[in-house]
Amino acid sequence: MSNVTQHISRQFDNELETIRSDVLAMGGLAEQQFSDALRALTEFNVSGAEMVRENEARLNACEVSIDEECVTLLARRQPAAGDLRFVMAVIKTITDLERIGDEADKIARMTISLAEKSGPRSYYIGINTMGAFVREMVRDALNAFARMDSQEALTTAGKEPESDQQYGAILRQLITYMMEDPRSISSIIDAVWVARALERIADHARNICENVIYFVEGKDVRHISIEQMEDRIKGR
């Protein structure tokens, strides 16, 4: 009987590891899509932006596939405690990864639109800076997930308010440009959508970090401040 139990346990561990590997692969794809969208924006590369749009469906397929894996595992194994938290964290994380892909697609779409319009590239200096910052957040969030490191997740989540500040500064800058040159309104509206997409990607990176903390620490840290997150992790 113990051999049967060990066999089932080993199968279960393999299934969990397969799901983990699939999530990491999906995370790599989402990160690549975002990086490619930023590169296309920086270079006003229409063909690069079109490639991002074409690849967006791959992330959707990954989400559906992993979600089905999780549902099957829940039905067959009925996991408890940490294993159940892991599956729930995965289901939430793949939703955020798919939405990062959606926002990358939006950046690519706006890039194609911006490339067709005239306007000083100085409009987008702040956006490029924010893009690099948010890309680092996404990478760090995925690293925290790969290691299931709650401290790295907390540190990365703590960067999200800075993305909000950068977004606000970009909006103020773009509004000033628009007031100075009303002919630029159409281009600037596209740029605003790009900045908004970046702000939302930062939100999704924070969500991934919260999922890691939930799995590792067993504590729900959604909708609270970074200071409150730290207190909950330390048990204060």
Side-chain angles (χ1 to χ4, degrees):
M1 181 66 179
S2 65
N3 288 339
V4 173
T5 302
Q6 289 176 5
H7 178 66
I8 292 173
S9 177
R10 189 162 56 248
Q11 281 186 326
F12 184 31
D13 289 342
N14 289 340
E15 289 167 5
L16 290 172
E17 181 57 31
T18 296
I19 289 174
R20 177 181 175 277
S21 296
D22 289 346
V23 175
L24 293 177
M26 183 181 179
L29 179 58
E31 185 179 9
Q32 188 63 53
Q33 280 283 91
F34 180 33
S35 294
D36 289 348
L38 287 177
R39 187 179 305 110
L41 175 68
T42 301
E43 299 171 356
F44 282 82
N45 184 336
V46 172
S47 62
E50 289 173 343
M51 186 65 68
V52 170
R53 302 214 66 199
E54 290 172 9
N55 287 334
E56 199 266 337
R58 293 172 59 195
L59 273 174
N60 296 340
C62 285
E63 182 191 24
V64 171
S65 176
I66 297 171
D67 193 59
E68 288 176 351
E69 289 180 70
C70 290
V71 169
T72 299
L73 186 140
L74 287 171
R76 290 178 57 198
R77 304 298 187 189
Q78 298 181 349
D83 292 333
L84 179 59
R85 289 203 308 274
F86 172 74
V87 175
M88 297 308 297
V90 163
I91 290 171
K92 293 174 183 177
T93 295
I94 61 174
T95 298
D96 284 301
L97 291 174
E98 190 274 333
R99 289 176 181 169
I100 287 173
D102 286 345
E103 298 301 330
D105 179 73
K106 186 182 296 179
I107 292 170
R109 182 156 40 89
M110 292 302 103
T111 295
I112 294 169
S113 177
L114 286 165
E116 296 170 350
K117 301 169 184 174
S118 60
R121 295 199 176 191
S122 59
Y123 288 178
Y124 316 113
I125 292 174
I127 289 176
N128 291 336
T129 301
M130 183 180 177
F133 178 83
V134 175
R135 181 172 55 196
E136 181 179 334
M137 271 193 72
V138 171
R139 185 192 64 222
D140 291 346
L142 291 172
N143 285 340
F145 183 92
R147 299 188 187 97
M148 285 302 168
D149 185 333
S150 59
Q151 188 55 54
E152 184 174 8
L154 178 64
T155 300
T156 303
K159 297 177 182 178
E160 189 268 333
E162 185 174 340
S163 71
D164 292 337
Q165 293 171 7
Q166 291 185 17
Y167 175 59
I170 289 169
L171 287 187
R172 289 191 294 273
Q173 180 188 53
L174 291 175
I175 288 170
T176 299
Y177 287 147
M178 197 159 42
M179 292 172 65
E180 291 174 350
D181 182 9
R183 294 171 299 177
S184 69
I185 288 176
S186 179
S187 295
I188 288 176
I189 288 174
D190 287 342
V192 168
W193 279 113
V194 171
R196 176 59 174 160
L198 293 175
E199 192 266 342
R200 290 185 65 83
I201 290 172
D203 288 344
H204 292 307
R206 172 171 170 155
N207 290 347
I208 292 170
C209 292
E210 291 173 355
N211 297 335
V212 172
I213 293 170
Y214 169 70
F215 167 65
V216 176
E217 306 291 342
K219 295 176 181 177
D220 190 338
V221 291
R222 293 175 296 176
H223 312 306
I224 61 176
S225 69
I226 299 300
E227 292 76 14
Q228 289 171 315
M229 278 189 192
E230 190 167 5
D231 287 345
R232 286 197 185 179
I233 289 175
K234 293 180 178 178
R236 292 202 293 256

